[in-house]
């Protein structure tokens, strides 16, 4: 569980958030994106494009054989590029850790076709179901926990049960948890209702992560930590 404090304008925390999700797409992991502010569909559309080396590989195949002396001369010129990692286009064929991304370009929609992704947009969830409250926890947090738990169990990420299909990883991204958009009044000057809702949510979420094949990143408004 990666707990990230948002910077003043949310620029760097948002970039880290999208890097985490983009890496999941390239690695073929399942995604679960939750937000009360920005629709998950829009978040996924803005993921950075990975730098793949298909073009590089094709060009290398077309280059004719060169003499050893010419090769040595070319290596003297390009010695600083020798150890740069080459990205693999296929998510399963890469043995290197991590990939590089171009933040000036959006990820190609074709890359999403090979993965499963799930979304939780709080305004839509509130309109679909009547008000729900569980264990003195805010309705928004209870709904989110139920949604995450359902995906973990139904999609085969429960680590405690034998899995019949090929194992995979679920990457969970939760944006701006604890903000006013989640209906939490934890920073109210009066005694807020259900002041421990956020703490309870994180406690239960940690338990879900520990017994499942999943990882989670959460961005949190800076005023909560201050």
């Amino acid at each position: 569980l990666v707990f990230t404090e948002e910077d003043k304008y949310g620029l760097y925390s948002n970039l880290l958030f999208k890097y985490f999700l983009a890496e999941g797409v390239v690695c073929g992991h399942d995604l679960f994106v939750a937000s009360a502010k920005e629709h998950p569909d829009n978040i996924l559309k803005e993921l950075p494009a990975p730098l793949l080396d298909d073009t590089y590989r094709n060009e290398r195949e077309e280059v004719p054989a060169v003499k050893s002396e010419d090769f040595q001369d070319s290596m003297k010129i390009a010695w600083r590029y020798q150890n740069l990692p080459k990205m693999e286009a296929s998510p399963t064929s890469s043995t290197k850790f991590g990939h590089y991304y171009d933040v000036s370009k959006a990820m190609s929609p074709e890359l999403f076709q090979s993965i499963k992704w799930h979304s939780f947009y709080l305004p839509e969830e509130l309109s679909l179901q009547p008000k729900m409250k569980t264990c003195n926890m805010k309705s928004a947090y209870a709904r989110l926990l139920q949604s995450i738990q359902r995906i973990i169990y139904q999609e085969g990420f429960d680590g405690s049960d034998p899995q019949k299909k090929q194992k995979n990883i679920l990457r969970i991204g939760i944006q701006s948890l604890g903000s006013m958009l989640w209906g939490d009044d934890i920073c109210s000057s009066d005694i807020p209702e259900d002041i421990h809702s956020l703490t309870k949510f994180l406690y239960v979420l940690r338990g879900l992560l520990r017994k499942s094949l999943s990882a989670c990143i959460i961005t949190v408004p800076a005023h909560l930590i201050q």
Side-chain angles (χ1 to χ4, degrees), residues 2 4 9 15 26 34 54 69 75 92 108 112 127 152 156 160 180 186 216 222 225:
V2 181
T4 307
Y9 299 107
L15 187 59
V26 176
D54 274 354
E69 294 83 3
M75 292 309 293
T92 57
S108 171
F112 290 105
S127 64
I152 287 176
S160 61
M180 291 298 294
I186 191 172
C216 178
I225 297 176

Side-chain angles (χ1 to χ4, degrees), residues 29-180:
H29 298 161
D30 284 22
L31 300 185
F32 180 96
V33 185
S35 176
K37 178 177 64 175
E38 189 177 0
H39 199 287
D41 292 356
N42 296 330
I43 294 176
L44 292 174
K45 288 178 182 178
E46 295 175 354
L47 295 185
L51 298 175
L52 305 175
D53 70 339
D54 274 354
T55 304
Y56 172 86
R57 189 184 298 110
N58 293 335
E59 289 176 353
R60 293 295 296 175
E61 291 174 353
E62 295 173 1
V63 172
V66 296
K67 296 180 180 179
S68 177
E69 294 83 3
D70 296 336
F71 177 78
Q72 291 297 329
D73 291 339
S74 65
M75 292 309 293
K76 289 178 182 178
I77 299 173
W79 64 270
R80 62 183 297 179
Y81 305 109
Q82 290 180 46
N83 296 323
L84 287 180
K86 301 176 181 60
M87 301 310 124
E88 296 291 341
S90 174
T92 57
S93 64
S94 177
T95 57
K96 297 182 177 64
F97 180 80
H99 301 85
Y100 292 95
Y101 298 88
D102 184 352
V103 296
S104 66
K105 299 179 182 178
M107 182 177 289
S108 171
E110 286 77 12
L111 289 176
F112 290 105
Q113 296 178 358
S114 60
I115 68 162
K116 279 187 177 181
W117 60 276
H118 316 271
S119 64
F120 180 97
Y121 185 49
L122 184 59
E124 290 181 351
E125 296 294 330
L126 293 176
S127 64
L128 292 176
Q129 300 180 16
K131 188 173 182 180
M132 177 180 60
K133 194 173 182 180
T134 307
C135 300
N136 295 322
M137 185 185 297
K138 289 286 184 182
S139 174
Y141 298 149
R143 293 171 190 271
L144 180 55
L145 277 176
Q146 284 191 351
S147 183
I148 294 175
Q149 187 177 41
R150 183 179 67 253
I151 297 300
I152 287 176
Y153 292 151
Q154 292 182 356
E155 299 296 328
F157 297 104
D158 185 9
S160 61
D161 292 335
Q163 296 190 7
K164 298 179 181 179
K165 59 181 182 179
Q166 185 177 2
K167 292 183 179 181
N168 199 0
I169 302 295
L170 176 65
R171 286 190 181 231
I172 304 169
I174 306 175
Q175 186 184 62
S176 269
L177 187 69
S179 70
M180 291 298 294

Side-chain angles (χ1 to χ4, degrees), residues 150-214:
R150 183 179 67 253
I151 297 300
I152 287 176
Y153 292 151
Q154 292 182 356
E155 299 296 328
F157 297 104
D158 185 9
S160 61
D161 292 335
Q163 296 190 7
K164 298 179 181 179
K165 59 181 182 179
Q166 185 177 2
K167 292 183 179 181
N168 199 0
I169 302 295
L170 176 65
R171 286 190 181 231
I172 304 169
I174 306 175
Q175 186 184 62
S176 269
L177 187 69
S179 70
M180 291 298 294
L181 293 174
W182 288 93
D184 202 336
D185 55 353
I186 191 172
C187 292
S188 172
S189 57
D190 301 326
I191 299 177
E193 181 186 4
D194 304 332
I195 188 172
H196 300 298
S197 284
L198 182 58
T199 310
K200 290 177 181 178
F201 170 83
L202 295 172
Y203 186 78
V204 178
L205 177 63
R206 184 178 67 173
L208 286 173
L209 295 177
R210 280 182 170 178
K211 65 176 184 178
S212 65
L213 299 173
S214 56

